[in-house]
Amino acid sequence: MIKIAPSILAADFANLERDIRRVEPAADWLHVDVMDGFFVPNISFGLPVLRAVRRCTELFLDVHLMVIKPERYIEAFAQAGADLLTVHLEADDPVGVAAALRRMDRCGVKKAVALRPITGAEAVLPYLEQLDMVLVMTVEPGFGGQSFLTSQLETVRRVRALIERVNPACRLEVDGGVNPVTARQVLEAGADTLVAGSAVYGAENPAAAIRALRGE
Ligand code: DX5
Ligand code: ZN
């Protein structure tokens, strides 16, 4: 089953509750982008905002940590209300990534790793067996509203093949530049979970935009 996760990075932060209500009828998950100004050049928001979002919705919260050495923050983000945490493979060495995943287990949240466009699909292999999701970035992380990198379709296909071999229950999410056209391409390449910021919040009717991504 396809899941659509609107990214609140593209919402109006002065009207965040209103913008969450706007997507609730059509969204499966809510995607929450945390940026530290080091792993990516941008700073978005952190724990207090996640807590506030948790208080205002029952939606599954898919929290994308674009943060150096994320192990330090796993417990805090789990307590703040994340249902799933994603850490970047480039944000720490393999020992640190494994430690972050162990912490997620202890905190009872679902576990995912993300790949920047530079990182090859095979990099997920040491972790794949235990993952709930792999996130393939289809833009360079850091900003909403960028153009989809078509070259990432190959990475999506490769990750899909690895998932089928090692852990078929694992979800495959894509993030960046997803619109009704690129959504078709990534779904065909094997994605089953789509993040969309501008395509949803840039639309007159965000719920209708989500349904369009689903191909309805
Ligand atoms: C980018 C973020 C994305 C962003 C996507 O670093 O991870 O989740 O919100 O925005 P769009 O859909 O506008 O590319
Ligand atoms: Zn994201």
Side-chain angles (χ1 to χ4, degrees), residues 134-193:
V134 173
L135 165 54
V136 174
M137 290 304 301
T138 40
V139 298
E140 200 51 64
F143 299 92
Q146 303 180 76
S147 304
F148 181 83
L149 295 171
T150 309
S151 53
Q152 283 302 85
L153 287 171
E154 187 52 30
T155 307
V156 175
R157 278 186 213 107
R158 288 192 182 168
V159 172
R160 170 50 66 192
L162 296 173
I163 285 176
E164 291 309 315
R165 208 172 73 207
V166 177
N167 177 6
C170 181
R171 301 199 71 87
L172 203 180
E173 182 176 67
V174 297
D175 183 8
V178 172
N179 59 40
V181 173
T182 57
R184 297 276 75 71
Q185 299 173 339
V186 290
L187 290 172
E188 222 174 276
D192 54 26
T193 307

Side-chain angles (χ1 to χ4, degrees), residues 198-211:
S198 0
V200 169
Y201 281 111
E204 189 87 8
N205 181 340
I210 292 170
R211 290 190 277 267

